[in-house]
Amino acid sequence: MATALRRSATASGRLRRLGIATKLAGVLALVLMALASDVAASGATAPATTGPVVRIVNMSTFCTSLFCYKPGRIVITAGTTVTWKNKTSVSHTVTRCTVLACGVGGGSGKDTGFGSGVIPPGGSYSFTFQTKGSYVYYCAIHGYGIMHARVVLTVV
C-alpha cells in the first residue's frame, strides 16, 4: 500500500512539472482517440452479421477423408461473418482454391483477402463476405487431395 502511494505521489509530481503544451497535447490525443473510436464504432458500412461456424474435424462417419470442413456447404447473405474453428490436434488453413492447387477455381465471388494463415489446434479464423458469388477453399497444409470438400459459400 505504501509503495502504491509513493508511486502515485511521484507520478503526480511529474505531472505538475509538465508544461501546459504537453498537458494539452495529452488531452488532445485522448479526445482524438475517443473520436476515432466513435467513428469506427459507427462504421461507414452496415455491421457484419455473425453467421455460421464451420468446424474443421477429423475423419468420422461424416468425414471420409483425413480431415474435413463441416458443414460442406453454406448459404449466407452479404455482410455475414463465417468462422472456422479447428477442432483437430493439428494445424490447418482456409485457402481459396486455384486451378493449379485444386484442379478447380476458387469460385465466382469477388471478395479479396479471403484466406487464413495457419490455424493452430483450437484456433479459429473469421471472414466477412460482402460480394455475391461462390468461394471454394481447401487446406493448403494437407492439400486438396487430403482435405478439400468442395465447400461453396454462396452470398445471396
Side-chain angles (χ1 to χ4, degrees):
M1 177 77 168
T3 303
L5 289 173
R6 278 194 299 273
R7 286 183 184 155
S8 179
T10 302
S12 294
R14 287 183 188 141
L15 185 59
R16 280 193 300 274
R17 288 190 297 272
L18 291 176
I20 188 72
T22 304
K23 290 176 186 173
L24 287 175
V27 170
L28 180 60
L30 290 172
V31 169
L32 289 174
M33 287 189 316
L35 288 173
S37 68
D38 285 347
V39 169
S42 67
T45 60
T49 303
T50 302
V53 173
V54 176
R55 291 174 294 145
I56 301 171
V57 297
N58 291 311
M59 186 184 295
S60 66
T61 37
F62 163 79
C63 176
T64 57
S65 185
L66 191 55
F67 303 104
C68 295
Y69 299 102
K70 184 180 177 181
R73 180 178 169 87
I74 302 169
V75 177
I76 59 173
T77 57
T80 299
T81 299
V82 176
T83 300
W84 289 261
K85 291 189 177 182
N86 184 356
K87 300 292 188 178
T88 72
S89 61
V90 297
S91 296
H92 298 283
T93 72
V94 173
T95 305
R96 192 161 188 185
C97 278
T98 63
V99 174
L100 184 62
C102 302
V104 297
S108 62
K110 303 294 183 206
D111 284 355
T112 59
F114 170 55
S116 70
V118 173
I119 307 170
S124 64
Y125 162 71
S126 296
F127 185 80
T128 303
F129 291 88
Q130 300 294 342
T131 307
K132 182 179 180 179
S134 60
Y135 297 82
V136 181
Y137 61 93
Y138 74 111
C139 175
I141 294 171
H142 297 98
Y144 186 83
I146 292 176
M147 184 181 181
H148 63 280
R150 279 189 62 178
V151 180
V152 178
L153 303 174
T154 305
V155 181
V156 294

